Structures are given as C-alpha cells and as structure tokens.
Amino acid sequence: MTSSDFADEYPNAEVTGTDLSPIQPAWVPPNVKFELDDATLSWSWPENTFDFVHLRYLFGAIADWGALFKEAYICAKPGAWIQSCEIDPAIESDDGTVDGNTSIETWNALYREGGKASGRSFTVVKEDLQVKAMHEAGFVDVKHVDYKVPVGGWPKNPKIREVGQYLKLTMENDLEGYTLMLWHNVLDWPKDEYQIFLMGMRKVLKSRHIHGYMYARYVYGRKPEEGEVPVA
C-alpha cells in the first residue's frame, strides 16, 4: 500500500511520506505530503508524533537497524503501531530448480558479498534484523509473518502467480539498476563479465522451468502505553 492508498483509505489521517530522492508523484490526496529525509539519521519530528509508522524495502540501505527502530520508537506516540516489510533478494527454490544455475549463484553472491562489503545487509530476513531491532527499541506485541515471493508466473495459485509476475516485471525492467553499483563500485568485479551476467539473468526470468522465490517478512509491533509494564 502506497502513501496515497493509505490516505485514500483513511481520509481523516495526515500522511507523511519520506524518501531520499524527489521521486514522489505530483497528484496525491489532499491529506498526503512528502518530505525529503534520510531515515538513517536522527529523525526530524518531535517525540510522540505518529500513530502509525510504516517502513519498507530498505534492504541494502541500513547499516544500523537498531538505530532505525529507536528513532521510530521516539517519534511514535504511546500505543502507536509500527510495521516493517522487507525481502531478501537471494533466489531459492524448494525443488532444486535453481541449483547449479550460474546466473542465480552469481546473483545471490552479489548481494551476499555486497552487503558484507558495504556494511548494509541484503539478508535482513535471514538475519532476523527487523524482529531483533524492534524488540531492542522497546516495542511490544512484536509478531511477524513470512512469505515466499515467487520470481515469475510459475505458481499454480492465480493470486500468487500474479505476485510473481509483478516481481519478474520489476526485475526485468531495472535489472541493471539493482546490480550495477554493487558489481562495479562496491565489489569491483570483472567489468567484461557484467553483460554476460545480465544476459544469464534475463534467461532465468523468462524460464518457466525455474521455480525460484525470495523470502519476505512482514513485522509489526506496538509502542507501550504510558505506564504500561511490558510482559516478558
């Protein structure tokens, strides 16, 4: 759900969306405003400002997840809810169809090694970073739901197949955008192998015989009410 979708569903709410870049749409509901801000720095809002905080798709961008959720805790009102949605870009399968595929192995290594080199993990779900950081910040009633997000339209379930098709289209549309900086700037891998890698990944995305998926995790929790004693 986007900021605009949320604003449409809750017309009496004031919705603030943030990003590092000015990429927000010009036409938005009247109760939405966008601000340029860096979530990795001290948040610019006063304590106890928000009733709800939503964070998503920050893998590879956060060096200190504990600090991120502490800032969210400070800016959340007592009783406010927080929601965090992340996905690990590594591609896996349950039937062995990704095993031995050189392109997928390179894709997975790119994010695994790139996260280590940059100090910003791309394996947020596997490392359980959201849940740990949310607890450490002081949130209570922390729960999570895990998903296997398919890469492509191979699932039999129509709804899940549609999700997989959207993920495939996203990757096809911006494959270089997802990989260029890690390959050349962070890891400095051989430049002459990059286009070969891209060709291999495009074949992977077109194949209906590879039943790959990515792990995703939806985590939510609540800031205790004033005077509330958290239950261990």
Side-chain angles (χ1 to χ4, degrees), residues 173-189:
N173 186 60
D174 201 18
L175 192 57
E176 287 192 50
Y178 289 134
T179 59
L180 189 67
M181 179 178 288
L182 281 177
W183 189 290
H184 294 293
N185 297 69
V186 176
L187 295 174
D188 193 25
W189 283 1

Side-chain angles (χ1 to χ4, degrees), residues 58-62 65 118 120-122 124:
L58 295 175
F59 62 84
I62 306 299
W65 285 84
S118 65
R120 291 170 170 80
S121 176
F122 287 90
V124 178

Side-chain angles (χ1 to χ4, degrees), residues 192-206:
D192 58 347
E193 295 180 11
Y194 182 62
Q195 291 300 324
I196 298 173
F197 160 70
L198 293 179
M199 289 174 58
M201 281 303 300
R202 292 188 180 106
K203 289 181 181 179
V204 166
L205 294 173
K206 291 178 181 178

